[in-house]
Amino acid sequence: MTGLTAEQLRRFDEDGYLIVEDVLSEEDLARIEAEYREILDRAADGLVRRGRIRPLRGGAFSERYVEAMRQIDDMYALYQHLDISLPLVEDLGLSHTLNTGPEVFRLLTHPRLLDIVESVIGPEIYSNPIQHTRIKPPVHCLPDAILDSNVAATGWHQDSAVATREADDTDMLTVWLAVTDAFVQNGCLVVTPGSHRKGVTRHCPGMASSAEIYIPETIIDLDRVIPLEVKAGSAVLLHKMTEHGSLENRSEGIRWSFDLRYQPIGQPTGRSVFPGFAARSSARPDLVVTDHAEWESLWRQALHRIVNGEADAAFNAKWEANAGHPLCA
Ligand SMILES: O=C(O)CCC(=O)C(=O)O
């Protein structure tokens, strides 16, 4: 096992974040890009047939993605094919989709990544379904008022805040993976080092039912904030209480990352309507999911349960009481 060193663990404990370089190889990144290229092209063909966009002409994935995003009126018509979660909306229909392909599953269960996770949370590892891919086009290609953190900047938050209360004691670890280089100009992560030791920070509910919760910037200690510039293939580990967000993409290229979460098997995930899975276990190896088709089927079943009203999909409700607070105005 090639997990973290004692020094890396000490720094993570002290700072609430840790950059680990070279977690993914160039081959890993190329395989992910190839999977996404195929999905994008299939989704774009459908949109072209329905007259929603013109045929894409660019060569590289990034060019084709930006071209499509620039043209589309409802970005979810495209983005739902790329994300690795269903959206947090109340009007889910059976036609909603997500990417549960073999390469993204290979990423979630990547041995190098699980070794790192094991050093922090132990050998019984559950893949928590709070996860996204964020493919951010240059901000000037997006509609002005867009607040969706999959494609635009991410507001300040602690990751524990996006899970329901039942997971308040869950030892959830965020692993943020850079598919492209991430730097200030293209919207890298920003964190407040050591903020995980302060406890829970006040979050405000989003403006609309599907909008994202956030910590008002007025209570962030902006003098202490640092950007986390990383190379493609690097991981950033985040403690669930670390205050963080990301900047706008003011470059001309895309900024692409995955944020995955892991926790010990048996603890609540904080998003129980979505499916997690055992990713590594020495106690119960028979429980470990090794086939992306099985993972895909778990998501399909979850979608059916939500659409049929068999599962309560109340997301982010825990901050609604702050709606009238002056800091949230
Ligand atoms: O990549 C981003 O913009 C934000 C990621 C994030 O906030 C998270 O992983 O919790």
Side-chain angles (χ1 to χ4, degrees), residues 126-131 269 271-272 274-278 289 295 298-299:
Y126 197 75
S127 164
N128 178 305
I130 303 177
Q131 60 195 16
T269 63
R271 207 165 280 178
S272 57
F274 288 172
F277 65 90
V289 174
W295 180 53
L298 293 173
W299 276 101

Side-chain angles (χ1 to χ4, degrees), residues 124 265 278-290:
E124 302 301 307
I265 293 173
R280 177 179 278 181
S281 170
S282 36
R284 290 292 307 274
D286 54 309
L287 293 182
V288 172
V289 174
T290 54

Side-chain angles (χ1 to χ4, degrees), residues 24-39 82 84 99-111 113 177 179 256 258 260 262 277 290-293 295-296:
L24 300 176
S25 65
E26 280 181 18
E27 191 205 331
D28 293 328
L29 297 174
R31 288 173 67 152
I32 277 288
E33 179 164 330
E35 180 167 285
Y36 270 82
R37 167 76 190 238
E38 220 178 289
I39 297 169
L82 308 173
I84 54 171
N99 177 23
T100 47
E103 290 306 327
V104 87
F105 183 74
R106 183 173 169 272
L107 198 69
L108 262 79
T109 55
H110 197 295
L113 196 147
L177 291 168
V179 179
W256 184 356
F258 288 92
L260 312 177
Y262 298 91
F277 65 90
T290 54
D291 180 359
H292 87 94
W295 180 53
E296 179 169 23

Side-chain angles (χ1 to χ4, degrees), residues 134 136 149 152-155 157 159 174-176 187-189 238 244-247 255 257-261:
R134 313 210 190 230
K136 311 209 183 195
S149 63
T154 304
H157 65 284
D159 278 359
T174 296
V175 180
W176 186 97
C188 65
L189 288 177
L238 292 169
H244 66 286
S246 73
L247 304 170
R255 199 231 72 182
S257 60
F258 288 92
D259 42 274
L260 312 177
R261 286 167 191 78

Side-chain angles (χ1 to χ4, degrees), residues 168-228:
D168 279 356
D169 294 327
T170 294
D171 301 312
M172 182 174 79
L173 172 71
T174 296
V175 180
W176 186 97
L177 291 168
V179 179
T180 57
D181 292 351
F183 42 92
V184 167
Q185 182 76 6
N186 78 353
C188 65
L189 288 177
V190 282
V191 298
T192 318
S195 50
H196 61 305
R197 282 188 254 108
K198 286 192 326 193
V200 179
T201 309
R202 181 184 297 281
H203 285 67
C204 300
M207 307 300 171
S209 63
S210 63
E212 298 167 9
I213 61 162
Y214 63 97
I215 304 172
E217 202 167 270
T218 44
I219 56 173
I220 296 289
D221 188 352
L222 292 172
D223 290 341
R224 299 188 45 237
V225 168
I226 56 165
L228 300 184

